[in-house]
């Protein structure tokens, strides 16, 4: 008989059990922003369906010499498990101080936390909370000196890993966000006020923490700009299309680990490695950029085949369970990032949700590997059902 290992396990033993509570606690526009994709949202469904379609063949007659080993080497560090928190923009809109809660929990759990450029928390604050577990995700800007200034801040704060996102070459157009008036700042109208009033805990927490802003961009903006002016200016400042030549510039400017996020084509992963990237996040940006893009788990085997076994591949997209993490690892990833799952947990349970989400994903991964008969992360590919 299984018993809960902590007080929250009985009520919230998985991300799926947290999801209804999260939806009931945050406004509709915040929910749509977190959970939605782009267009008809076929890509969101594809991410889930592709993961679910990965099956594994357990081995029952072989002996296991011990419990599965989850510790994973990546970028010169040993992590407690092969997963971490993906960068999520506007995290404090989903739940106030969500980035701070997740950064603290990640450090305690021995996992990485990646902070978005468009986070509602400053990179300095998160570095102070997560310490060496903090990674910084960069949306490139058109002005080299501004990029240098942000990179300098990240270096001075102690970040060792820079995650450069390349899959946002154009301004996004997400129907639900347009309809909801979601943005920084939001469109304030009767419907938004009404939806906010329906979620009093979220509204009060937001009131206590102040209006969310692009905290990492504020120091690089002219003084006195409103949030609306700052948002418009940031969109004009962004350098969307990161060519291989531009990637080489970032390789020269950043002395630490450089990870390129958002590649799906095998030849582009090879090119990123040739330019000097230390790793790649295989990702379709949570199906939030182009509805026709394949999921990471669909393209991982081909990418792994061309880069060989030693080049670090991270992956994300649709992860909700430890089994999903295992599926991505078995398909060729060395490490897995998740965004929605962690922010759902904080939306559901506040600060306690951060640690609970990491606990349940780790437990699910360990138990599922044990059921499979696999002791090592690196051996998961041997259990992949390749006939499907």
């Amino acid at each position: 008989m299984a018993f809960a290992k902590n007080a929250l396990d009985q009520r919230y033993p998985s991300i799926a059990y947290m999801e209804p509570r999260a939806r009931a606690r945050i406004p509709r526009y915040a929910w749509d922003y977190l959970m939605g994709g782009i267009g008809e949202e076929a890509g969101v469904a594809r991410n889930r369906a592709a993961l679910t379609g990965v099956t594994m063949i357990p081995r029952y007659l072989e002996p296991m010499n011990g419990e599965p080993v989850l510790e994973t080497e990546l970028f010169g560090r040993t992590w407690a498990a092969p997963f971490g928190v993906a960068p999520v923009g506007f995290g404090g809109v989903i739940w106030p101080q969500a980035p701070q809660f997740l950064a603290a929990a990640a450090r305690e759990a021995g996992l990485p936390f990646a902070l978005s450029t468009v986070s509602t928390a400053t990179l300095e604050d998160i570095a102070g909370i997560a310490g060496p577990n903090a990674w910084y995700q960069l949306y490139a800007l058109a002005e080299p000196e501004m990029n240098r200034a942000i990179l300098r801040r990240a270096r001075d704060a102690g970040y060792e890993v820079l995650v450069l996102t390349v899959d946002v070459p154009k301004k996004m157009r997400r129907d639900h966000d347009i309809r909801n008036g979601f943005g920084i700042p939001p469109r304030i109208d009767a419907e938004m006020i009404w939806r906010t009033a329906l979620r009093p805990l979220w509204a009060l927490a937001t009131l206590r923490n102040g209006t969310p802003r692009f905290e990492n961009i504020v120091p690089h903006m002219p003084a006195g700009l409103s949030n609306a002016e700052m948002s418009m200016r940031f969109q004009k400042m962004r350098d969307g299309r990161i060519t291989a030549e531009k990637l080489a510039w970032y390789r020269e400017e950043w002395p630490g680990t450089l990870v390129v996020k958002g590649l799906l084509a095998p030849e582009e992963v090879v090119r990123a490695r040739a330019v000097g990237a230390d790793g790649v996040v295989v990702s379709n940006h949570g199906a939030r950029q182009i509805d026709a893009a394949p999921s990471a788990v669909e393209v991982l085997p081909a990418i792994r085949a061309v880069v060989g076994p030693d080049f670090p591949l991270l992956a994300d997209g649709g992860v909700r369970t430890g089994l999903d993490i295992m599926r991505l690892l078995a398909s060729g990833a060395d490490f897995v990032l998740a965004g929605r799952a962690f922010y759902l947990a904080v939306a559901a349970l506040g600060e306690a949700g951060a640690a609970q989400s990491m606990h349940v994903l780790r437990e699910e991964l360990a138990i599922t590997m044990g059921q499979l008969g696999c002791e090592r992360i690196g051996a998961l590919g041997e259990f992949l059902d390749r006939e499907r």
Side-chain angles (χ1 to χ4, degrees), residues 3 8 33 37 48 50 58 78 86 93 115-116 118 131 135 153 212 216 221 223 229 231 277 312 321 324 326 361 367:
F3 293 96
L8 288 174
Y33 168 73
R48 278 303 317 154
T78 299
V93 176
L115 180 75
S116 171
V118 290
W135 298 354
R153 286 176 58 199
N216 291 305
M221 294 283 189
E229 291 169 332
S231 180
T321 66
D324 292 337
M326 191 175 78
L361 289 176
I367 290 171

Side-chain angles (χ1 to χ4, degrees), residues 184-185 211-214 225-232:
I184 299 289
T211 304
R213 304 188 306 170
F214 293 119
L225 293 183
S226 68
N227 276 352
E229 291 169 332
M230 196 176 303
S231 180
M232 291 177 62

Side-chain angles (χ1 to χ4, degrees), residues 128-147:
I129 294 169
N133 293 42
W135 298 354
Y136 185 66
Q137 177 270 333
L138 179 68
Y139 284 121
L141 303 177
E143 299 177 18
E145 286 309 311
M146 190 169 291
N147 279 319

Side-chain angles (χ1 to χ4, degrees), residues 58-63 371-372:
R59 304 289 193 272
Y60 294 121
L61 302 183
E62 296 295 325
Q371 289 287 333
L372 198 64

